[in-house]
């Protein structure tokens, strides 16, 4: 999944689409909040994956020209 996120982020960076990147980031952050409170299963692998994706998205946002 992270490779997919990398490609999506690269596309939005090329388009200079800050709104789309911020939307993806907000979605991943919401997903992370939900995973942290999961009970009955061990969500650590999913949490690690989402954290990695957040890092990729934030890196993409950092390359955009500030508004």
């Amino acid at each position: 999944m992270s490779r997919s996120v990398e490609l999506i982020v690269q596309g939005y960076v090329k388009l200079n689409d800050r709104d789309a990147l911020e939307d993806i980031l907000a979605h991943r952050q919401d997903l992370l909040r939900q995973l942290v409170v999961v009970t009955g299963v061990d969500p650590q692998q999913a949490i690690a994956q989402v954290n990695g994706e957040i890092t990729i998205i934030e890196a993409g946002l950092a390359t955009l020209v500030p508004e």
Side-chain angles (χ1 to χ4, degrees):
M1 179 73 146
S2 290
R3 181 64 182 145
S4 300
V5 172
E6 287 177 20
L7 293 172
I8 291 166
V9 168
Q10 286 174 7
Y12 285 136
V13 166
K14 270 188 178 177
L15 295 171
N16 200 36
D17 193 341
R18 177 177 300 279
D19 291 337
L21 285 171
E22 288 175 348
D23 287 345
I24 293 172
L25 180 60
H27 176 265
R28 290 304 191 278
Q29 289 170 333
D30 185 48
L31 180 59
L32 185 59
R33 280 189 292 276
Q34 292 175 28
L35 285 169
V36 170
V37 298
V38 166
T39 58
V41 296
D42 182 11
Q44 293 308 310
Q45 186 174 4
I47 289 171
Q49 171 120 12
V50 172
N51 276 325
E53 292 174 359
I54 288 172
T55 300
I56 292 167
I57 297 164
E58 289 174 338
L61 278 167
T63 66
L64 296 180
V65 177
E67 291 181 340

